[in-house]
Amino acid sequence: MPSNPFDAFFEPPGGTGEKKDQQAEREEIYPPIEDRTIFPEDGKESLDEILEKNNQFEQRAAGFSKLLSQTRAVDHEPVAFAGNTLVQYLIDIHDPHEQGSMRGEKAYHQILENKFRAIIVPMIELARLHCDVVKQFNQDIDEHYYSVEKTDREVKSDRALAMEGLLFQRKLLGNAARDLSILSRAMDVCEVRLKKYIDAGGDNNISSAEQALIAKNREYLSSGVEHHFDYALFNLNLLDEAALTFRLFTKQTFSQYVQRLESAFRNSPK
């Protein structure tokens, strides 16, 4: 069974020599109070802070999830082989998204761009909050976490609740990343259709330079460079989907997941 990255925490520190071994064993049985209790400057315990941040995420996610529904990115999913000029030369493929004119294609491309930006901007803020929660959970919450105000049963319940929040966040961000990927592919296919109007003359005429510039600007947008955000890191593969469904996870450790999240903002401006 694959290991759970959310439960893969720090192993007890080892040591060399008999004294170090005895000390490590003693600390494992009787963890020092300063290591077992997390007291932030505001007096809130770390687990309570995480639960509050999870609530903040869910409050913001309410509007964002409605935005994803209203955007209907799935309606723009390109049909199979759309944009493949070689296959289309051999097989007549019906493309329901074809606009029938150069102006129509440019207008459709602009709609796709607007929807892409409408999703990625609020997604960045949610991703930052998710990253903050995951880092704090990884740093402070382990099997030795202790609360002076709550019983062990209450701590266990709150820890499970915090985990549910992280799972929800990961799934929501994965759905947003999927929608962005759909819109990116749709723009790419639209640009291929625009090529048919290069030097076509009349009202449907577009220069090769303008078509190339549209494609270049789209690449800058859809790659995440424009917003300094690698949203593709939040895509969910089949293993990720199974993990969220059955509460199982890949062998990726929790610390590795933290590094993965941080890399999404690596090129962000200070």
Side-chain angles (χ1 to χ4, degrees), residues 45-255:
E45 295 186 3
S46 186
L47 187 54
D48 289 334
E49 282 194 332
I50 290 173
L51 291 175
E52 286 187 5
K53 291 176 182 178
N54 283 354
N55 288 334
Q56 292 175 14
F57 186 100
E58 291 181 8
Q59 291 172 3
R60 299 181 188 180
F64 185 67
S65 61
K66 291 181 181 179
L67 172 66
L68 295 180
S69 299
Q70 295 168 355
T71 304
R72 299 193 301 275
V74 67
D75 288 348
H76 304 287
E77 178 75 70
V79 298
F81 301 112
N84 190 317
T85 54
L86 177 60
V87 173
Q88 289 181 327
Y89 178 77
L90 300 174
I91 304 175
D92 183 19
I93 298 176
H94 172 64
D95 186 350
H97 303 299
E98 187 167 0
Q99 302 301 305
S101 69
M102 182 273 295
R103 290 183 178 180
E105 295 293 357
K106 288 178 66 175
Y108 182 65
H109 194 280
Q110 186 62 55
I111 290 174
L112 296 173
E113 285 188 37
N114 294 342
K115 289 188 174 185
F116 189 98
R117 289 190 172 91
I119 292 176
I120 195 172
V121 172
M123 180 185 176
I124 294 173
E125 296 306 313
L126 287 173
R128 288 189 185 280
L129 181 55
H130 174 65
C131 184
D132 183 35
V133 174
V134 170
K135 287 168 64 176
Q136 185 171 3
F137 193 98
N138 178 58
Q139 178 179 342
D140 298 343
I141 312 302
D142 61 10
E143 66 272 18
H144 298 307
Y145 182 84
Y146 175 79
S147 170
V148 296
E149 299 179 349
K150 301 178 182 178
T151 64
D152 291 344
R153 178 176 295 182
E154 289 173 330
V155 169
K156 183 178 180 180
S157 176
D158 285 349
R159 185 175 180 273
L161 187 62
M163 182 60 59
E164 286 297 318
L166 293 178
L167 295 177
F168 167 75
Q169 294 166 21
R170 188 181 182 195
K171 184 174 183 179
L172 178 66
L173 293 170
N175 289 342
R178 176 206 61 194
D179 286 357
L180 291 177
S181 296
I182 290 175
L183 294 171
S184 176
R185 293 195 301 271
M187 285 187 282
D188 186 35
V189 173
C190 182
E191 291 154 19
V192 173
R193 294 195 299 265
L194 271 174
K195 288 182 178 180
K196 297 188 302 182
Y197 301 105
I198 293 178
D199 297 331
D203 292 337
N204 284 322
N205 185 71
I206 187 173
S207 67
S208 59
E210 183 180 3
Q211 193 278 340
L213 184 60
I214 291 174
K216 181 179 179 180
N217 290 337
R218 188 270 311 163
E219 175 63 25
Y220 186 72
L221 171 66
S222 64
S223 64
V225 174
E226 180 176 315
H227 294 89
H228 305 279
F229 179 58
D230 190 359
Y231 65 88
L233 291 176
F234 293 92
N235 280 325
L236 299 174
N237 56 35
L238 293 178
L239 290 177
D240 293 327
E241 292 284 359
L244 292 171
T245 301
F246 300 105
R247 297 300 188 267
L248 300 173
F249 302 93
T250 64
K251 294 182 179 179
Q252 183 185 43
T253 68
F254 201 83
S255 296

